[in-house]
Amino acid sequence: MAESWATLGIDLLVEPTGPGLRRGLTDALREAVRSGRLAPGTRLPSSRALAADLGIARNTVADAYADLVAEGWLTARQGSGTRVVEREVVPPSGTAPHPRALTRPAYDLRPGSPDLASFPRAEWLKAARRGLTAAPYQALGYGDPRGRPELRAALAGYLSRARGVRADPERIVVCAGFAHGLKLLGTVLRARGARTVAVESYGLDVHRRILTASGLHTTPLPFDRLGTDPGGLADAEAVLLTPAHQFPMGVPLHRDRRTAVADWARRTGGLVLEDDYDGEFRYDRQPVGALQGLDPDRVVYLGTASKSLAPGLRLAWMVLPPGLAEEAAAAKGGVDPCGVLDQLTLAEFLTSGAYDRHVRATRLRYRRRRDALVAAVAARAPEARVTGIAAGLHVLLRLPPGTEQSVVQAAHWRGLALHGLARYTHPDAPAEPVDALVVGYGTPPDHAWSGALDALCAVLPG
Ligand SMILES: Cc1ncc(COP(=O)(O)O)c(C=O)c1O
């Protein structure tokens, strides 16, 4: 029986285009590899089978495969057939692949992620073993919706020591990432009758959407050289802020404004939601302590493992004012959606000192990257200005007016994923738009870092 797609076990959707079958098939396959539709290592059908599927001569397919092996897109080995090469594909310099081709970028400098390759796997596994071994069997039940007591106690110790948070384990609620915590708070605020939450002019739209989905209206506060201006808080019942390190502008909230926010909350009964997403990473001076320390009765402190460890853990924590912890835990729906084993592991990771060791080691590596980034931009792209460098895993790269979109587009064509400031700007922000890039230097693994930096410098206006 002739081999066909039905008996081969390998389906390949490919549509040769353009004049000439060999050229059309070569182009279509190259495009499929470059776009990531055919992942590295994917085995292709034999030339005989694909020829039968497409109704073309076997030699045409064999020639197209041979062309792509010669170009470095495919490998052919006796016994294992023809496969897509096992590496990320960087488009040759000087060529401008079709924008659609770059669904899987060669380099990634988007903010939001730490270097996932440096996740402390061995230490985490040790902590998992110890945490589970020491836990009573009751720990594996439904448990307290606020989260495991071991983790809440460990967090209370760490947060008061390292972040100046006034933390009582009874008022800590573990959540599945900051986003989950914000959702719970949105539910609580709405149930308490709140209608409006003030947010910063710059921030993540996903967080605004979470509040909107809870039935709350978001209104942007102005931003100036002292950071977010709390002057416009009058109509809000709550405010969401990133006081230690404004995301993404990178500045701390000025001390007068920290006091003004705490005063507003005390005066009006308003609630401050403090997003301390990357408080562990500060390079040039002592960390800015948590705003919550000023008034633990009016500030909800939110921290996350997404920058210090990995976002995939989906582990975060809230320290809440009296009364609110029960409401937030109830908003979880009675059962804690956060897995017990990860909570026990993080508790052990914190109390054993592994968390501090990991943060200190990564802080040093990120600091070196930041220094390299600042030096490279100064040397190779003097028209761009790097700001917000004292902390965190990203910087703001200010660009000449009117150039943000074209720089992001040029990066896209080169296989470099990059975000402009526009996507982090509240649609109703009162300020004039600023042209800038939000460069996440924590994202690439070590082996891709210098390539990513080169790609960035290549697209910046010189
Ligand atoms: C401003 C800000 N807040 C919070 C987070 C953390 O979110 P989560 O814990 O949901 O991963 C991030 C992560 O990128 C962030 O940029």
mmCIF file of all heavy atoms in Angstrom, residues 112 177-179 204 207 247 275 277 304 306-307 314, ligand 1:
data_model
loop_
_atom_site.group_PDB
_atom_site.id
_atom_site.type_symbol
_atom_site.label_atom_id
_atom_site.label_comp_id
_atom_site.label_asym_id
_atom_site.label_seq_id
_atom_site.Cartn_x
_atom_site.Cartn_y
_atom_site.Cartn_z
ATOM 1 N N GLY A 112 8.425 41.886 32.727
ATOM 2 C CA GLY A 112 7.414 41.022 33.348
ATOM 3 C C GLY A 112 7.941 39.692 33.808
ATOM 4 O O GLY A 112 7.328 39.052 34.658
ATOM 5 N N GLY A 177 -0.895 34.392 42.606
ATOM 6 C CA GLY A 177 -0.364 35.520 41.845
ATOM 7 C C GLY A 177 -1.036 36.821 42.265
ATOM 8 O O GLY A 177 -2.134 36.819 42.860
ATOM 9 N N PHE A 178 -0.350 37.931 41.983
ATOM 10 C CA PHE A 178 -0.896 39.257 42.295
ATOM 11 C C PHE A 178 -2.269 39.424 41.643
ATOM 12 O O PHE A 178 -3.206 39.967 42.245
ATOM 13 C CB PHE A 178 0.078 40.334 41.781
ATOM 14 C CG PHE A 178 -0.481 41.714 41.838
ATOM 15 C CD1 PHE A 178 -0.338 42.489 42.971
ATOM 16 C CD2 PHE A 178 -1.169 42.249 40.755
ATOM 17 C CE1 PHE A 178 -0.878 43.767 43.038
ATOM 18 C CE2 PHE A 178 -1.710 43.521 40.809
ATOM 19 C CZ PHE A 178 -1.569 44.274 41.949
ATOM 20 N N ALA A 179 -2.373 38.950 40.408
ATOM 21 C CA ALA A 179 -3.614 39.136 39.650
ATOM 22 C C ALA A 179 -4.801 38.524 40.410
ATOM 23 O O ALA A 179 -5.889 39.111 40.460
ATOM 24 C CB ALA A 179 -3.481 38.510 38.269
ATOM 25 N N LEU A 204 -0.213 48.184 34.205
ATOM 26 C CA LEU A 204 -0.601 47.053 33.354
ATOM 27 C C LEU A 204 -2.098 47.086 33.081
ATOM 28 O O LEU A 204 -2.898 47.142 34.024
ATOM 29 C CB LEU A 204 -0.247 45.734 34.053
ATOM 30 C CG LEU A 204 1.230 45.355 34.077
ATOM 31 C CD1 LEU A 204 1.464 44.163 34.995
ATOM 32 C CD2 LEU A 204 1.710 45.016 32.675
ATOM 33 N N HIS A 207 -4.339 44.588 34.877
ATOM 34 C CA HIS A 207 -4.786 44.885 36.242
ATOM 35 C C HIS A 207 -6.011 45.805 36.227
ATOM 36 O O HIS A 207 -6.933 45.640 37.021
ATOM 37 C CB HIS A 207 -3.638 45.497 37.052
ATOM 38 C CG HIS A 207 -2.505 44.523 37.271
ATOM 39 N ND1 HIS A 207 -1.255 44.891 37.685
ATOM 40 C CD2 HIS A 207 -2.471 43.173 37.121
ATOM 41 C CE1 HIS A 207 -0.493 43.810 37.790
ATOM 42 N NE2 HIS A 207 -1.203 42.763 37.436
ATOM 43 N N PHE A 247 5.665 51.010 38.187
ATOM 44 C CA PHE A 247 5.710 50.234 36.956
ATOM 45 C C PHE A 247 4.899 50.955 35.893
ATOM 46 O O PHE A 247 3.726 51.224 36.090
ATOM 47 C CB PHE A 247 5.130 48.829 37.137
ATOM 48 C CG PHE A 247 5.277 48.041 35.867
ATOM 49 C CD1 PHE A 247 6.459 47.373 35.598
ATOM 50 C CD2 PHE A 247 4.272 48.042 34.911
ATOM 51 C CE1 PHE A 247 6.619 46.691 34.400
ATOM 52 C CE2 PHE A 247 4.437 47.364 33.709
ATOM 53 C CZ PHE A 247 5.607 46.686 33.465
ATOM 54 N N ASP A 275 1.169 47.489 45.413
ATOM 55 C CA ASP A 275 1.723 46.422 44.579
ATOM 56 C C ASP A 275 3.255 46.475 44.685
ATOM 57 O O ASP A 275 3.894 47.310 44.066
ATOM 58 C CB ASP A 275 1.252 46.647 43.122
ATOM 59 C CG ASP A 275 1.848 45.645 42.153
ATOM 60 O OD1 ASP A 275 2.576 44.742 42.599
ATOM 61 O OD2 ASP A 275 1.567 45.770 40.935
ATOM 62 N N TYR A 277 5.698 44.518 43.534
ATOM 63 C CA TYR A 277 5.966 43.387 42.641
ATOM 64 C C TYR A 277 7.442 43.023 42.523
ATOM 65 O O TYR A 277 7.774 41.895 42.206
ATOM 66 C CB TYR A 277 5.382 43.684 41.251
ATOM 67 C CG TYR A 277 6.029 44.883 40.601
ATOM 68 C CD1 TYR A 277 6.947 44.745 39.572
ATOM 69 C CD2 TYR A 277 5.737 46.167 41.045
ATOM 70 C CE1 TYR A 277 7.547 45.840 39.008
ATOM 71 C CE2 TYR A 277 6.346 47.270 40.480
ATOM 72 C CZ TYR A 277 7.256 47.099 39.472
ATOM 73 O OH TYR A 277 7.874 48.186 38.914
ATOM 74 N N THR A 304 4.656 39.149 45.464
ATOM 75 C CA THR A 304 4.512 38.018 44.547
ATOM 76 C C THR A 304 5.847 37.303 44.348
ATOM 77 O O THR A 304 6.906 37.934 44.476
ATOM 78 C CB THR A 304 3.990 38.508 43.176
ATOM 79 O OG1 THR A 304 3.977 37.425 42.242
ATOM 80 C CG2 THR A 304 4.854 39.609 42.589
ATOM 81 N N SER A 306 6.498 36.123 41.451
ATOM 82 C CA SER A 306 6.629 36.125 39.990
ATOM 83 C C SER A 306 7.930 36.734 39.496
ATOM 84 O O SER A 306 8.398 36.386 38.412
ATOM 85 C CB SER A 306 5.450 36.864 39.353
ATOM 86 O OG SER A 306 4.289 36.088 39.482
ATOM 87 N N LYS A 307 8.528 37.672 40.241
ATOM 88 C CA LYS A 307 9.806 38.257 39.807
ATOM 89 C C LYS A 307 10.973 37.603 40.532
ATOM 90 O O LYS A 307 12.022 37.387 39.962
ATOM 91 C CB LYS A 307 9.849 39.761 40.115
ATOM 92 C CG LYS A 307 8.766 40.570 39.500
ATOM 93 C CD LYS A 307 9.046 40.853 38.056
ATOM 94 C CE LYS A 307 7.838 41.509 37.487
ATOM 95 N NZ LYS A 307 7.943 42.381 36.436
ATOM 96 N N ARG A 314 2.677 30.864 40.302
ATOM 97 C CA ARG A 314 1.401 31.480 40.708
ATOM 98 C C ARG A 314 1.289 31.505 42.238
ATOM 99 O O ARG A 314 0.372 30.934 42.822
ATOM 100 C CB ARG A 314 0.178 30.752 40.098
ATOM 101 C CG ARG A 314 0.122 30.629 38.611
ATOM 102 C CD ARG A 314 0.515 31.865 37.856
ATOM 103 N NE ARG A 314 -0.337 33.041 38.039
ATOM 104 C CZ ARG A 314 0.146 34.293 38.089
ATOM 105 N NH1 ARG A 314 1.438 34.547 38.028
ATOM 106 N NH2 ARG A 314 -0.672 35.295 38.248
HETATM 107 C C1 LIG B 1 3.323 45.853 38.020
HETATM 108 C C2 LIG B 1 3.235 44.384 38.283
HETATM 109 N N1 LIG B 1 2.530 43.971 39.332
HETATM 110 C C3 LIG B 1 2.427 42.643 39.632
HETATM 111 C C4 LIG B 1 3.045 41.703 38.843
HETATM 112 C C5 LIG B 1 2.946 40.253 39.226
HETATM 113 O O1 LIG B 1 1.829 39.671 38.756
HETATM 114 P P1 LIG B 1 1.504 38.135 39.101
HETATM 115 O O2 LIG B 1 1.884 37.888 40.529
HETATM 116 O O3 LIG B 1 0.047 38.024 38.850
HETATM 117 O O4 LIG B 1 2.308 37.277 38.179
HETATM 118 C C6 LIG B 1 3.754 42.090 37.741
HETATM 119 C C7 LIG B 1 4.367 41.079 36.886
HETATM 120 O O5 LIG B 1 4.758 41.300 35.780
HETATM 121 C C8 LIG B 1 3.868 43.472 37.456
HETATM 122 O O6 LIG B 1 4.560 43.901 36.407
#
